[in-house]
Amino acid sequence: MSSKKPKNSKSPAKSNPMWGGQFASGPAGIMAKINASIDFDKKLYAQDIKGSIAHCAMLAASGIISKKEAADITDGLHKIKSEIDSGRFTFKEALEDIHMNIEARLAELIGDVAGKLHTARSRNDQVALDLRMYVRDMSLTIDAFIKALQLALITRAEEFSSAIMPGFTHLQTAQPVTLGHHLMAYVEMFGRDRARLKNLLANMDECPLGSAALAGTSFPIDRMLVAKTLGFARPTANSLDSVSDRDFALEFLSAAAITAMHLSRLSEELIIWSSAPFGFIKLSDLFSSGSSIMPQKRNPDAAELVRGKTGRITGSLMSMLMTMKGLPLAYNKDMQEDKEPVFDASLQWQMVLSAMTGMIYDFTADKKRMHALANQGYSTATDLADWLVKNLKMPFRQAHHTTAKIVKLATDKKCTLSQLSLTQMQTIEKRITKEIFNVLTVEQSVASRISYGGTAPARVKEAIFAAKKKYL
Ligand code: ARG
């Protein structure tokens, strides 16, 4: 590289008003640009102000600042909050981030006493607190979104608790199931996604404020009080850990990626089911789009986008893991990159949940078509084998072989298992009786799956009842 200064390195005249005491000049243009986070971290203003008010009250309660000073600071912070709420606040890149933008404005409003707010605090513990509170707020919001999706799934599962469709493994017809049972499978997945949110909320229920830059502070602060004021169970136990780790955000992003993966699988099924060869369901105009060239097309775009956004959400998790993986303790500026993945994933997570909830209420199902396809592919072959085991006391392995031969016979005759005659079946196993016809239809097959968690309509209705109690 040449030693010539790049064009954009012309410095602004003044050094940073907040920390520039020992700096003769301000940053190079590109330095100011790469250093500033205000464009995105302004999203944290409510959390930042809430944290500052709690810190200020504690400083006064501990006798570190006077009651009057605390009252002035708090008034100023409330004013700033309403300025930002109403869009009257001017954010400045030169002030780098949300913390310094707010503190500088506070000084404009109340004068030098504003500088006392930062006693016994650093931006390092401040930002750790702000992001933690943001993740906490978002986790609660997203929990409500997942719950709404569960309600949609349960509502439709109730409607389809006896609607027979093919169940698949390897996307090959396996055994008949009900659409209600299939939808309820996702209610369980989303239930665990909600449990992950609950767990991460419990894990991060500690307040980092008071850790200061990295080592704690010599001021007689009361961390218990701040933790309590901000709704945390307790303060964090180690100041270095408090300002260094972002595992709470990583847990949040992991939970996001897992939910997105669940949503993506469901999307994939909606896409397959709504294709002409399947024809199980139809999504209305509300969730589809047409093709600009092929007039017959109805594309499941919303489902495809939910599936597509899974890549983006998982990308946020990967981005943050990579940012964190090589950092020595304690704070490093790399960690400023922790915010955008969290903000973006939070937004996308809500969007994919809402879109899926909409699609679940929207689709119509073709029960006849699902039933007809459940009948194809010898989906009751296992029922036949089980009958041989129960009634002829055959070992299951042998029953499997015998059944395979009967399936071959039906394939040759181009009919379903229940369409074979008794005599035809007896050419393969002479001990078979007419009782076999009690287990060969898809209705009989589904109704017989009464084991706990099975697809029998009676069991599905019980599962719906239990899920309503557990989740709604
Ligand atoms: N904007 C910074 C961030 O997001 C705040 C903390 C800055 N701390 C520092 N020592 N420069 O991480």
Side-chain angles (χ1 to χ4, degrees):
M1 249 181 70
S2 94
S3 58
K4 258 188 17 207
K5 275 191 166 187
K7 272 204 193 84
N8 60 4
S9 73
K10 225 177 106 232
S11 304
K14 280 193 261 162
S15 66
N16 187 295
M18 310 302 290
W19 50 249
Q22 57 143 335
F23 286 70
S25 75
I30 186 60
M31 171 58 188
K33 219 175 159 69
I34 195 173
N35 200 31
S37 52
I38 188 62
D39 266 359
F40 48 89
D41 70 14
K42 60 185 173 202
K43 252 204 167 73
L44 295 174
Y45 77 92
Q47 287 81 6
D48 196 75
I49 291 173
K50 197 172 167 189
S52 288
I53 291 173
H55 180 68
C56 175
M58 180 280 291
L59 290 177
S62 312
I64 299 168
I65 61 174
S66 74
K67 298 246 161 356
K68 167 82 174 78
E69 290 165 338
D72 290 348
I73 291 171
T74 306
D75 275 356
L77 288 169
H78 282 303
K79 270 196 199 101
I80 294 171
K81 168 88 167 38
S82 60
E83 285 178 6
I84 302 179
D85 280 343
S86 61
R88 284 178 290 125
F89 191 95
T90 316
F91 293 101
K92 296 183 186 131
E93 188 188 80
L95 290 165
E96 284 184 36
D97 57 25
I98 186 63
H99 324 298
M100 297 204 292
N101 267 272
I102 290 175
E103 197 186 317
R105 177 69 183 138
L106 190 62
E108 281 172 14
L109 289 173
I110 66 170
D112 284 350
V113 65
K116 297 207 170 190
L117 173 60
H118 214 51
T119 315
R121 185 177 75 167
S122 149
R123 277 188 294 156
N124 297 351
D125 57 344
Q126 194 177 353
V127 73
L129 171 71
D130 292 0
L131 190 64
R132 209 177 265 246
M133 290 203 292
Y134 183 88
V135 166
R136 183 171 67 176
D137 293 345
M138 270 304 147
S139 298
L140 296 172
T141 302
I142 284 161
D143 182 71
F145 276 77
I146 305 181
K147 184 175 169 184
L149 174 56
Q150 285 181 307
L151 173 62
L153 287 163
I154 290 172
T155 306
R156 297 313 302 271
E158 220 159 13
E159 186 182 341
F160 296 117
S161 59
S162 314
I164 292 174
M165 64 176 261
F168 302 94
T169 61
H170 314 266
L171 199 56
Q172 306 289 324
T173 302
Q175 294 173 351
V177 295
T178 67
L179 179 54
H181 193 51
H182 196 115
L183 295 174
M184 288 304 291
Y186 284 98
V187 170
E188 293 302 310
M189 295 180 224
F190 295 124
R192 289 191 297 277
D193 290 341
R194 291 178 67 190
R196 267 180 275 280
L197 286 171
K198 209 170 152 196
N199 289 343
L200 75 89
L201 280 167
N203 251 353
M204 60 176 262
D205 199 9
E206 295 182 339
C207 180
L209 206 64
S211 303
L214 75 163
T217 175
S218 59
F219 289 97
I221 59 171
D222 183 349
R223 293 194 60 206
M224 300 290 168
L225 176 62
V226 178
K228 221 178 112 208
T229 313
L230 294 173
F232 289 97
R234 58 192 161 269
T236 49
N238 181 297
S239 62
L240 290 168
D241 171 48
S242 313
V243 294
S244 300
D245 208 355
R246 294 292 184 265
D247 57 355
F248 63 89
L250 284 166
E251 284 192 32
F252 177 76
L253 291 173
S254 310
I258 294 173
T259 311
M261 175 274 295
H262 286 150
L263 288 167
S264 186
R265 296 185 71 176
L266 181 50
S267 296
E268 171 69 4
E269 296 191 317
L270 296 180
I271 292 163
I272 294 175
W273 293 351
S274 63
S275 71
F278 272 76
F280 288 2
I281 63 161
K282 194 173 161 188
L283 287 162
S284 83
D285 298 357
L286 296 175
F287 289 92
S288 311
S289 77
S291 155
S292 53
I293 175 167
M294 297 165 282
Q296 86 285 9
K297 286 293 284 294
R298 166 181 288 278
N299 298 326
D301 290 38
E304 291 171 284
L305 283 162
V306 171
R307 190 178 57 184
K309 281 180 186 292
T310 303
R312 175 166 171 181
I313 292 171
T314 309
S316 291
L317 169 63
M318 293 307 134
S319 146
M320 178 102 116
L321 279 170
M322 290 307 106
T323 299
M324 296 303 296
K325 80 171 193 51
L327 303 184
L329 304 190
Y331 177 82
N332 300 268
K333 196 61 175 262
D334 315 45
M335 289 158 72
Q336 185 160 283
E337 293 295 313
D338 63 359
K339 289 162 206 62
E340 285 171 293
V342 171
F343 295 156
D344 188 62
S346 304
L347 193 72
Q348 301 303 323
W349 195 355
Q350 291 174 51
M351 189 131 76
V352 289
L353 284 164
S354 301
M356 183 55 79
T357 304
M359 286 188 284
I360 294 302
Y361 281 120
D362 180 78
F363 78 78
T364 47
D366 185 341
K367 289 195 212 172
K368 269 205 188 120
R369 171 90 184 145
M370 293 191 305
H371 188 279
L373 286 184
N375 245 325
Q376 288 177 8
Y378 309 103
S379 64
T380 57
T382 317
D383 301 83
L384 198 163
D386 288 348
W387 187 92
L388 299 175
V389 170
K390 284 184 208 155
N391 296 278
L392 307 183
K393 307 286 171 249
M394 240 186 225
F396 183 79
R397 247 334 120 214
Q398 191 192 334
H400 187 284
H401 286 304
T402 306
T403 305
K405 284 186 200 154
I406 299 175
V407 167
K408 170 92 178 40
L409 183 67
T411 317
D412 294 344
K413 305 255 177 249
K414 297 190 179 13
C415 69
T416 65
L417 292 176
S418 62
Q419 285 165 345
L420 286 171
S421 70
L422 183 58
T423 338
Q424 282 169 330
M425 284 194 253
Q426 284 171 338
T427 61
I428 288 161
E429 169 52 64
K430 62 177 186 315
R431 290 176 295 160
I432 292 179
T433 69
K434 66 175 193 327
E435 307 301 316
I436 192 86
F437 291 107
N438 291 335
V439 304
L440 295 182
T441 68
V442 288
E443 282 79 8
Q444 290 159 341
S445 169
V446 160
S448 74
R449 297 281 192 272
I450 53 166
S451 53
Y452 180 77
T455 195
R459 283 289 182 240
V460 173
K461 285 184 188 124
E462 283 170 15
I464 289 172
F465 183 79
K468 278 185 182 170
K469 261 176 76 176
K470 185 170 175 192
Y471 299 122
L472 303 183

